[in-house]
Amino acid sequence: MIWNMLRRVVLGPLELLFDTVYALGFRVTGSPGLSIVLLSLVVNLMLLPLHRRADQIQEKEREQARRLKPGIDKIKRAFKGDERFMILQTYYRQNHYRPYYVLRGSLSLLLEVPFFMAAYRYLSGLSLLRGAAFGPIRDLGQPDGLIMLGGVAFHLLPILMTAISMVSGTVYTRGLPRRNRIQLYGMAALFLALLYQAPSGLALYWTLNNAFSLGKNLIRNRAGKARKEEKAGPAADRAVCLVFCGGCAAMTLLLGMLIPSAVVSASPGEFVVIRAFQSPVRYVLSAALTAAGALLVWGILFFRLSSGKSRRRMAAGLAAAAVAGVVDYLFFGRDYGNLSPGLKYDDPLTILPSAWLLNLGVILAASGLTVFLWRKRKAALAALLAAACFGMCVLSAGNIREIRAEAAALEIVAEQEREKPSPSFTLSREGKNVIVIMLDRCINGFIPYILEENPTVAAQFSGFTYYPNTLAFGRNTNVCTPALYAGYEYRPFEMDKRADMSLPEKQNEALKVMPVLFMENGFEVTVCDPPYAGYLWIPDLSIYDDYPAIRRFNTNGAFMDQEETARKMDETVDRNLFCYSVFRAAPVPLQGLIYDNGKYNEAEAQTLAPWEEYGAVFFAESETRSTGISEEFMKAYTALQHLTEMTGIAGDGETASGEKTFLMLSNTATHDVILLQEPEYEPRAVVDNTEYEAAHRVRVSARGGKMELKTLAQMEHYQCDTAALIQLGRWFDFLRENGVWENTRIILVSDHGYDLDLNHILTGGTEGENPLAPYDGIMAYNALMMIKDFGSGEDFQTDPAFMTIADTPTEAMRGLIENPVNPFTGNPISEEAKNGEDQYVMLTDWRIAENHGNTYTDPVRLTLKNENVLDESNWSLP
């Protein structure tokens, strides 16, 4: 572990630098080979001032050694043993010399070591080089084998690299003691041994480095004595050092602690693979180590090797960057939307020119203040940076405390999950079966178009009644699911009236209402993935511990390799969390370049290699093309794929007979959306729907409606909703084949919709209009509701009746439980509350880690004045 932490601190920032520069080069050139050339050029230019300063320090050490040599030789001739040692120490002290100063003569070589290690680690494992040709090199991922003698391949690049290195060493050590030349030749031979069998891409990089070094030495020697006599600038005074160290500390805390801890604390459960549990605090630690390495190790090293003038520039620039970074993070980029665990926003990043101008103005003002303090009050600037550091420490500590608290609860859930068998449930051939499936964020308005485009799915859904006029009570899961599972007394503003209970307690209560009622009425009950149970992202199934008869499972991710899922999450978050911090702290005009559509300039994410099939980071190049597959989508999608495996049929000889069953299941495949391959609507490592979309640009419904999908979000939601219905349809066929269709009631419902700028397909209005502006459009509050009742026949029907998600419990219990009463409040469960009174929508913070008091924070109320959700004139804004 200590070695890993040291590697993260010393080599991690260098590897990230290499990856970013290489990715930018690849984006520009499209050539793996040319990208190596650009990488070598950029790294050498960046290090040029350091090497120049190192040369000056080495020259100073050599001059001092030459000056002291006569005296040292005289002492060695005249004295022996301890007496010689004591006199030499006195002689060194009188001349302000330390024996370890001899290491300064090897400073340039010492600088090469970590860069070589980072380059070796990075380029040796870079899959973009595999099979990539560059000039005469057939495969940059393999040794070059450019020379064939007697049927034996010899590698030219390592030999050329060594030859250039030896020539460069000869030029560099001209006029220096022989031991310096031997030292450089020894290093050249060592690199030859290390890199002879290395991938040619790595050998090419180091050959170019040596060529740049040779050019630098030739120029250095041509400059002659003028170069050697160049004096270092004056040492930075104490105030300059304080400002620089304060800037380093502030940037380290901002990029490595405050922003990462804020991201993870917003939803710690999203950064956990429950069956391979590790605390998400480790991601904050990883970002902190990377930031510390970049700023406190390499930053201070650069500072120490710089001249006095350069130090002053670095201190002033870093202080200004720290102040601007804090301003950018606190006041800009807060409305980019929902952030996934892969640090990618749901919607494409859109930055308006007005935001650019405002941000530049604010940054100029902040930088102006910093420059003023730098010139007039350096001590005050250092104090300001210290105060910022203290504030960020306090905020970061609070965030980490929240992460640790939820991680402790999740660890208990993880222990429970490890002890559970695979998810399963039973349906009866003889008695009644009731199934309630919540498809998170499934879009109601897409259903007619999906069924028209997919006749097989339409046939599988025969017997369902579709309710297009269905209201959700908000646009977020925390607001909507209580009413969906427990009825009208759990509408959000009604929940707020019960201010003596916390929101987590009320959420848990709501999730138990239907299971407990069905259990008490003789049903065999199974619950899968109850949303926000325990107010945790990964449901805490212990909320049902008081009811041992209720079987409970988490199906999300249960059918994936948990260790592999955790490994892939580690790879993504370990790298991108720090990059996300840089993105948020950067000036707005640079944020798009850094964000890179959620790839953060990762070289491997720029293109999907042909041997990659599954698990690459998902990236949509356009509305029709993408690479990679989202882990979050696959966790939910594989659960739908395995519904048949989870289903046991009572009386089939393997499963105990039961008279009545109740299944309550939720799934997020319609929420964690990606592009899928059409017309199969299946996840693929490489998706290209260009031809299919050209032929199906305008989709139609059975009633003549027309819909054109133009944006990435529209396409992703439509495709994932279609994929979910396809998997459900296949399961419905299984139910038919096993004789449990006619005696089964199925309710498909979503907790809410999503604003996709398609309100016109619901309202019949003009495309692009939003009558609820500045709030989300009607589609966000139009939930899915489809019901297949017992013996419902084979016709698919559409019913315009007004429904809400709070009708779910009464529809599930209709005809099975007479006059149902809430077992926790004693209140009747009915649909009377929607008759004769206005309904409403609550807008509030979706983050359960933040919004978990006794009432919802800062609620906004939108009112529906009558029973038509789709009529824009019926809505009343606050």
Side-chain angles (χ1 to χ4, degrees):
M1 181 177 179
I2 300 298
W3 164 246
N4 287 335
M5 293 177 69
L6 288 174
R7 183 191 64 78
R8 172 72 63 178
V9 169
V10 178
L11 300 183
L14 299 183
E15 292 177 19
L16 183 58
L17 171 69
F18 287 179
D19 195 27
T20 301
V21 173
Y22 186 91
L24 290 170
F26 188 81
R27 287 170 63 184
V28 172
T29 66
S31 166
L34 285 177
S35 300
I36 292 177
V37 176
L38 288 175
L39 173 64
S40 179
L41 177 62
V42 169
V43 170
N44 277 276
L45 289 176
M46 185 187 73
L47 291 178
L48 190 59
L50 283 188
H51 282 300
R52 179 180 173 186
R53 178 63 176 153
D55 290 344
Q56 293 172 356
I57 293 173
Q58 289 173 202
E59 185 62 29
K60 181 179 179 181
E61 191 279 331
R62 293 185 188 115
E63 288 178 359
Q64 189 173 19
R66 283 194 292 267
R67 181 172 56 83
L68 296 178
K69 189 175 186 305
I72 294 172
D73 291 343
K74 184 177 179 180
I75 292 170
K76 287 182 177 180
R77 286 194 301 269
F79 302 97
K80 294 182 178 180
D82 291 343
E83 189 178 10
R84 175 196 286 179
F85 175 78
M86 297 298 294
I87 293 175
L88 276 175
Q89 292 301 311
T90 302
Y91 182 65
Y92 290 148
R93 188 166 56 252
Q94 289 172 343
N95 288 274
H96 307 290
Y97 183 78
R98 300 284 186 275
Y100 62 80
Y101 283 180
V102 69
L103 293 175
R104 298 190 301 190
S106 304
L107 193 56
S108 290
L109 289 177
L110 293 175
L111 279 175
E112 295 284 356
V113 172
F115 279 85
F116 170 76
M117 293 175 66
Y120 191 93
R121 283 176 52 86
Y122 176 68
L123 291 173
S124 294
L126 187 62
S127 63
L128 282 176
L129 301 183
R130 299 178 202 164
F134 183 62
I137 304 171
R138 292 184 297 274
D139 186 350
L140 288 169
Q142 298 292 330
D144 61 80
L146 290 175
I147 302 175
M148 294 293 296
L149 294 176
V152 179
F154 293 89
H155 310 313
L156 176 61
L157 279 176
I159 298 171
L160 180 62
M161 170 195 74
T162 305
I164 294 173
S165 179
M166 297 182 74
V167 172
S168 177
T170 301
V171 173
Y172 181 75
T173 57
R174 187 176 299 166
L176 297 180
R178 184 180 177 185
R179 65 181 176 84
N180 295 92
R181 188 175 297 111
I182 293 174
Q183 186 183 55
L184 288 175
Y185 290 168
M187 288 294 293
L190 177 63
F191 278 114
L192 175 62
L194 290 173
L195 296 181
Y196 187 73
Q197 293 292 342
S200 54
L202 176 59
L204 173 62
Y205 171 79
W206 213 254
T207 302
L208 292 169
N209 276 9
N210 288 346
F212 286 128
S213 179
L214 174 60
K216 178 195 71 175
N217 290 337
L218 290 172
I219 295 172
R220 171 182 174 273
N221 272 20
R222 182 168 295 182
K225 293 182 180 180
R227 175 70 65 184
K228 292 179 181 178
E229 292 171 359
E230 183 179 349
K231 302 293 183 182
D237 58 26
R238 181 171 179 274
V240 173
C241 288
L242 283 175
V243 170
F244 181 80
C245 290
C248 281
M251 290 296 286
T252 299
L253 289 168
L254 177 66
L255 302 180
M257 292 291 290
L258 180 60
I259 299 177
S261 65
V263 170
V264 177
S265 67
S267 186
E270 292 191 74
F271 295 91
V272 167
V273 178
I274 200 64
R275 292 175 182 84
F277 179 84
Q278 293 187 68
S279 172
V281 172
R282 73 189 192 281
Y283 293 131
V284 180
L285 175 61
S286 177
L289 292 174
T290 302
L295 292 152
L296 299 181
V297 174
W298 288 106
I300 290 177
L301 178 63
F302 273 55
F303 182 76
R304 291 287 297 169
L305 291 177
S306 298
S307 63
K309 186 176 182 180
S310 296
R311 288 183 179 185
R312 289 190 290 274
R313 289 174 177 171
M314 290 174 66
L318 191 60
V323 173
V326 171
V327 170
D328 281 329
Y329 172 63
L330 292 178
F331 301 106
F332 294 91
R334 302 178 65 87
D335 56 351
Y336 289 153
N338 183 54
L339 190 68
S340 75
L343 289 309
K344 184 175 184 293
Y345 289 107
D346 285 353
D347 299 321
L349 192 67
T350 302
I351 303 175
L352 300 175
S354 57
W356 283 38
L357 295 175
L358 178 61
N359 178 254
L360 288 175
V362 172
I363 288 178
L364 287 174
S367 300
L369 174 62
T370 305
V371 170
F372 172 79
L373 292 174
W374 169 256
R375 291 180 176 176
K376 303 295 184 181
R377 297 284 189 275
K378 287 186 177 64
L381 180 57
L384 175 65
L385 292 170
C389 289
F390 177 77
M392 287 188 283
C393 282
V394 171
L395 293 173
S396 300
N399 292 336
I400 292 173
R401 186 169 58 252
E402 291 181 8
I403 297 169
R404 288 172 60 87
E406 183 158 337
L410 289 169
E411 189 168 14
I412 296 173
V413 176
E415 289 294 332
Q416 296 169 347
E417 289 297 310
R418 280 192 283 268
E419 297 171 359
K420 285 185 177 298
S422 298
S424 64
F425 50 84
T426 301
L427 299 179
S428 171
R429 285 197 181 101
E430 301 170 3
K432 301 292 187 182
N433 305 301
V434 179
I435 300 173
V436 175
I437 298 178
M438 189 199 88
L439 297 174
D440 194 346
R441 201 202 274 178
C442 190
I443 306 301
N444 185 314
F446 282 164
I447 298 301
Y449 300 93
I450 293 173
L451 299 183
E452 186 67 16
E453 182 182 348
N454 300 272
T456 300
V457 177
Q460 291 165 333
F461 275 73
S462 61
F464 274 88
T465 299
Y466 164 58
Y467 296 91
N469 185 26
T470 301
L471 175 70
F473 297 108
R475 59 187 178 188
N476 306 122
T477 300
N478 59 330
V479 169
C480 295
T481 49
L484 186 153
Y485 287 111
Y488 283 90
E489 67 175 306
Y490 291 86
R491 290 174 295 174
F493 282 106
E494 305 307 309
M495 292 248 290
D496 276 356
K497 294 176 182 178
R498 298 168 60 192
D500 58 328
M501 291 179 65
S502 69
L503 290 174
E505 290 173 323
K506 287 178 274 194
Q507 177 80 13
N508 294 342
E509 183 180 279
L511 293 171
K512 291 185 285 188
V513 168
M514 278 198 291
V516 169
L517 277 172
F518 275 101
M519 180 195 69
E520 291 176 345
N521 283 271
F523 283 74
E524 181 179 314
V525 177
T526 304
V527 177
C528 297
D529 309 278
Y532 291 165
Y535 245 42
L536 296 175
W537 185 263
I538 299 172
D540 179 4
L541 302 179
S542 68
I543 69 169
Y544 298 104
D545 280 354
D546 291 337
Y547 308 94
I550 297 177
R551 303 175 72 243
R552 74 299 296 262
F553 301 97
N554 281 326
T555 67
N556 190 282
F559 300 95
M560 296 179 66
D561 184 334
Q562 299 293 299
E563 296 294 336
E564 182 66 9
T565 300
R567 184 190 66 80
K568 290 171 183 173
M569 176 176 281
D570 285 349
E571 287 181 355
T572 300
V573 180
D574 275 343
R575 180 192 186 278
N576 289 354
L577 187 56
F578 175 76
C579 295
Y580 176 81
S581 297
V582 176
F583 152 71
R584 283 298 314 276
V588 170
L590 295 179
Q591 288 184 352
L593 178 66
I594 297 169
Y595 179 66
D596 186 26
N597 294 305
K599 294 182 292 184
Y600 298 97
N601 297 297
E602 182 181 7
E604 301 282 20
Q606 301 303 314
T607 183
L608 193 67
W611 55 86
E612 294 278 4
E613 293 183 359
Y614 169 70
V617 175
F618 173 75
F619 167 64
E621 300 173 10
S622 66
E623 291 77 25
T624 58
R625 293 169 54 88
S626 69
T627 56
I629 301 175
S630 162
E631 290 279 343
E632 292 305 306
F633 172 78
M634 290 304 299
K635 289 178 186 178
Y637 181 71
T638 52
L640 294 179
Q641 286 182 307
H642 286 80
L643 280 173
T644 299
E645 291 181 26
M646 287 188 270
T647 307
I649 307 299
D652 62 3
E654 298 180 5
T655 308
S657 178
E659 291 188 356
K660 299 181 291 186
T661 72
F662 172 69
L663 170 65
M664 190 173 89
L665 179 147
S666 73
N667 188 272
T668 59
T670 50
H671 181 282
D672 301 316
V673 295
I674 60 173
L675 286 182
L676 303 173
Q677 184 60 52
E678 298 169 327
E680 297 87 357
Y681 292 96
E682 295 176 348
R684 301 281 175 81
V686 178
V687 168
D688 187 351
N689 294 323
T690 307
E691 292 185 7
Y692 186 86
E693 284 302 319
H696 298 79
R697 184 176 61 87
V698 178
R699 287 170 167 84
V700 297
S701 68
R703 299 192 174 188
K706 294 184 178 181
M707 177 181 68
E708 184 175 357
L709 303 176
K710 298 180 179 179
T711 70
L712 175 63
Q714 293 170 359
M715 200 70 73
E716 288 176 329
H717 280 82
Y718 180 84
Q719 291 176 0
C720 289
D721 287 5
T722 302
L725 265 59
I726 288 173
Q727 295 304 321
L728 288 174
R730 292 172 181 171
W731 184 51
F732 295 161
D733 282 345
F734 170 82
L735 300 185
R736 289 184 175 95
E737 292 166 4
N738 285 273
V740 289
W741 179 254
E742 292 298 322
N743 63 325
T744 298
R745 172 183 289 163
I746 303 174
I747 299 176
L748 300 181
V749 59
S750 64
D751 49 348
H752 55 85
Y754 194 64
D755 185 14
L756 294 171
D757 200 23
L758 287 170
N759 297 299
H760 61 283
I761 72 168
L762 304 176
T763 66
T766 303
E767 182 176 357
E769 284 187 348
N770 178 15
L772 304 187
Y775 307 103
D776 285 349
I778 289 173
M779 185 170 276
Y781 317 115
N782 182 207
L784 171 69
M785 177 71 78
M786 299 174 72
I787 301 175
K788 186 207 82 69
D789 214 338
F790 305 118
S792 57
E794 294 299 319
D795 293 331
F796 181 88
Q797 300 180 15
T798 298
D799 189 339
F802 176 57
M803 301 287 283
T804 81
I805 58 175
D807 293 331
T808 304
T810 52
E811 295 300 323
M813 294 182 282
R814 187 182 303 279
L816 301 175
I817 302 175
E818 295 297 326
N819 303 315
V821 173
N822 187 317
F824 304 102
T825 66
N827 295 323
I829 299 175
S830 71
E831 299 180 12
E832 292 183 7
K834 76 175 179 182
N835 300 320
E837 64 177 81
D838 292 342
Q839 299 301 316
Y840 59 78
V841 162
M842 176 191 280
L843 310 182
T844 185
D845 191 345
W846 64 271
R847 296 171 298 174
I848 56 174
E850 303 290 336
N851 195 357
H852 57 237
N854 285 18
T855 59
Y856 293 106
T857 57
D858 303 323
V860 175
R861 183 179 184 126
L862 307 183
T863 303
L864 180 66
K865 292 180 290 187
N866 66 29
E867 299 179 350
N868 190 344
V869 179
L870 309 181
D871 186 344
E872 57 196 53
S873 65
N874 291 335
W875 288 88
S876 176
L877 305 184

